[in-house]
Amino acid sequence: MQIGRVLSALRERAALTQAEVAGRAGVSIGTVNRYEGWQDRTRLRVPTVRAIADVCGATESERDGLVRLATSHEDGWWLEHPALPDILNPLMSFEAYAAYEHVWANQLVPGLLQTEGYAFALHQVADPRADASSIKAKVTARMNRQGILSDSGLHLWVVMKQSVLTDGIGGAKVMAEQISHLIEVSSQPNIDLQVLPRGRGHVANSGGHFVLLGRDDGADPMASMAVVYLELHRRGLYLDAPGDVSEYKIMFDYLRSAAADPETSRDLLESARQEYTR
């Protein structure tokens, strides 16, 4: 995806064939082709990415940007983690590199903002036959993922449908704790949370939950990143074609324009919490 597009662009800018790049970088033509066509299915190696970039005349910032992204795919704690599904590996690697993450949450509280109780209840519903220890391992992995909000400069912006607050996942106590957590984190400087009230029209009626991750670098466009993640049943779909990303950016802009402002959203959250604490 992003790495493949940049490597291909660098080679084309240098007017080199894949065979020429392979010969100069000391790798096979198949490796060059695989890295340029990479779609998150195979592991990347930082030395190979660096070698191909150098042969193609990448600037220091271009190469460093590629190495940072490749490193997140090579060394992330989440890779091959037994409690995490493979579909989340690319998402978490992109989160490690991204500067911002925009989420439209129309069914569930996003994973980055879930409490342990809420996450546990979700896993129980998803797999009623699973034992408590395996569910606990999955929940712990999800809590570890949330460290990205404090360990990096990631800015999270969530637009959440009001019905998410009234679905009653896990019962009244779990929901009250979850909403209290949302109220608390919404005051953090790197988190924006807006609620889309019931009955308010929006542009995403025909689509589901989506995540838009990006990093914008005007001085060095090749160090930029933009990718959309769509979570489907038992698999994830990643889109990075400029036209696709642009459509989701526009959709998110409309969603946050239609949603209540942050202060009103906190009032809606408080009202929802009170419903569970009566």
Side-chain angles (χ1 to χ4, degrees), residues 134-152:
S134 64
I135 293 179
K136 179 63 177 177
K138 293 178 181 179
V139 171
T140 299
R142 182 162 297 186
M143 297 302 105
N144 288 341
R145 176 190 165 203
Q146 294 178 1
I148 194 70
L149 292 173
S150 56
D151 298 341
S152 74

Side-chain angles (χ1 to χ4, degrees), residues 10-212:
L10 288 173
R11 180 177 60 78
E12 290 175 1
R13 188 179 69 185
L16 297 172
T17 66
Q18 288 187 343
E20 290 171 329
V21 171
R24 298 179 189 184
V27 299
S28 69
I29 297 176
T31 295
V32 175
N33 181 269
R34 180 166 58 86
Y35 273 55
E36 287 189 7
W38 185 69
Q39 290 291 326
D40 305 312
R41 292 186 293 268
T42 56
R43 296 285 293 276
L44 294 172
R45 300 303 178 192
V46 170
T48 303
V49 171
R50 183 184 290 113
I52 294 175
D54 285 340
V55 164
C56 293
T59 65
E60 182 178 356
S61 62
E62 289 170 346
R63 184 191 62 225
D64 290 348
L66 280 168
V67 167
R68 283 196 302 272
L69 186 52
T71 298
S72 71
H73 284 280
E74 182 183 59
D75 297 333
W77 65 267
W78 51 86
L79 294 172
E80 299 180 1
H81 193 291
L84 284 171
D86 290 342
I87 63 171
L88 287 183
N89 286 345
L91 175 64
M92 297 173 69
S93 296
F94 287 128
E95 284 178 340
Y97 183 74
Y100 62 85
E101 179 169 337
H102 296 164
V103 183
W104 162 234
N106 67 334
Q107 294 181 322
L108 302 169
V109 173
L112 287 177
L113 299 181
Q114 291 175 8
T115 62
E116 289 190 34
Y118 186 92
F120 194 94
L122 283 179
H123 282 296
Q124 279 186 315
V125 172
D127 190 358
R129 294 173 294 180
D131 59 83
S133 60
S134 64
I135 293 179
K136 179 63 177 177
K138 293 178 181 179
V139 171
T140 299
R142 182 162 297 186
M143 297 302 105
N144 288 341
R145 176 190 165 203
Q146 294 178 1
I148 194 70
L149 292 173
S150 56
D151 298 341
S152 74
L154 183 70
H155 179 251
L156 177 66
W157 195 324
V158 175
V159 177
M160 182 182 300
K161 203 170 183 179
Q162 189 176 13
S163 59
V164 172
L165 306 174
T166 59
D167 279 349
I169 301 294
K173 181 179 179 181
V174 168
M175 286 301 299
E177 291 176 347
Q178 176 62 75
I179 295 173
S180 293
H181 180 64
L182 293 176
I183 294 172
E184 180 181 353
V185 298
S186 67
S187 64
Q188 295 181 12
N190 65 321
I191 297 177
D192 285 296
L193 177 58
Q194 292 179 262
V195 176
L196 184 70
R198 291 188 190 89
R200 188 170 294 185
H202 59 84
V203 297
N205 282 311
S206 61
H209 170 104
F210 68 81
V211 178
L212 172 62

Side-chain angles (χ1 to χ4, degrees), residues 200-236:
R200 188 170 294 185
H202 59 84
V203 297
N205 282 311
S206 61
H209 170 104
F210 68 81
V211 178
L212 172 62
L213 300 113
R215 171 184 288 273
D216 299 325
D217 191 331
D220 185 3
M222 287 194 181
S224 298
M225 180 193 77
V227 62
V228 175
Y229 170 68
L230 306 176
E231 188 167 315
L232 308 176
H233 181 60
R234 297 189 179 278
R235 69 186 183 94

